[in-house]
Amino acid sequence: MILINLLPHREIARKRRKELFNVSLGLSVFMGGLIAGLIFLWFQSQISSQQEQNQLLQSEISKFDLQIKEIAGLEGEIAALLARQKAVEDLQADRNMPVYLLTELVQQLPDGVYVSSLRQEGQNVALQGVAQSNERVSELLRNLANNSPWFSRPELVEIVAGSVNLTPRDVRRVSNFQIRVKLVRATEAQKNPSQAASVAAAASR
């Protein structure tokens, strides 16, 4: 029987397998590092691109902010000009308000009603007077509320019974009243088509 010693061949084969494993491991580490490096570079390029886009957007936003500020400034100037225009129009319209007030008040006073005091503060008018009866005062309130484009929201402040001595023997009972009413501007009165004719007629007087 012939015996062959294979120990050296086994050692050589084991050594080759070990070397092959080490080479494979090294290649795997290298490929892993290479892939990781490529992924890192790709992420860096994406981040740089996004940062550039963010900077571009930020610059555009800054431009739009400036434009918005300019537009807001223009809107403020336009609003100021419109307010000045309205103030001038109101002043021009208010020049004839005393004429409208007295003319319209004479037309709306019922018979048996007399105004003893009239005071205007801005658009508010306070009337004091004497009426033959409470019904006459009620009629005056209705006239101011419904029949005139120049008055609105009449309000009875006070009504007090009194007496008037026409002669030493003729004493009559009367109603002393106070009324508060708002005077309408000409521009506001002209907004109502049904009242435009009355406004035009009053303005032509």
Side-chain angles (χ1 to χ4, degrees), residues 75-104:
E75 290 178 349
E77 293 179 1
I78 292 173
L81 290 175
L82 291 176
R84 293 175 186 172
Q85 180 182 358
K86 187 177 185 306
V88 171
E89 292 175 352
D90 290 340
L91 287 175
Q92 291 177 348
D94 289 346
R95 290 185 304 175
N96 298 324
M97 291 304 291
V99 177
Y100 300 150
L101 172 60
L102 295 176
T103 302
E104 198 69 17

Side-chain angles (χ1 to χ4, degrees), residues 48-64:
S48 299
S49 177
Q50 188 63 44
Q51 288 177 346
E52 292 177 357
Q53 293 179 3
N54 291 343
Q55 291 177 357
L56 179 61
L57 289 175
Q58 190 64 37
S59 62
E60 293 297 326
I61 290 172
S62 300
K63 292 179 182 178
F64 281 125

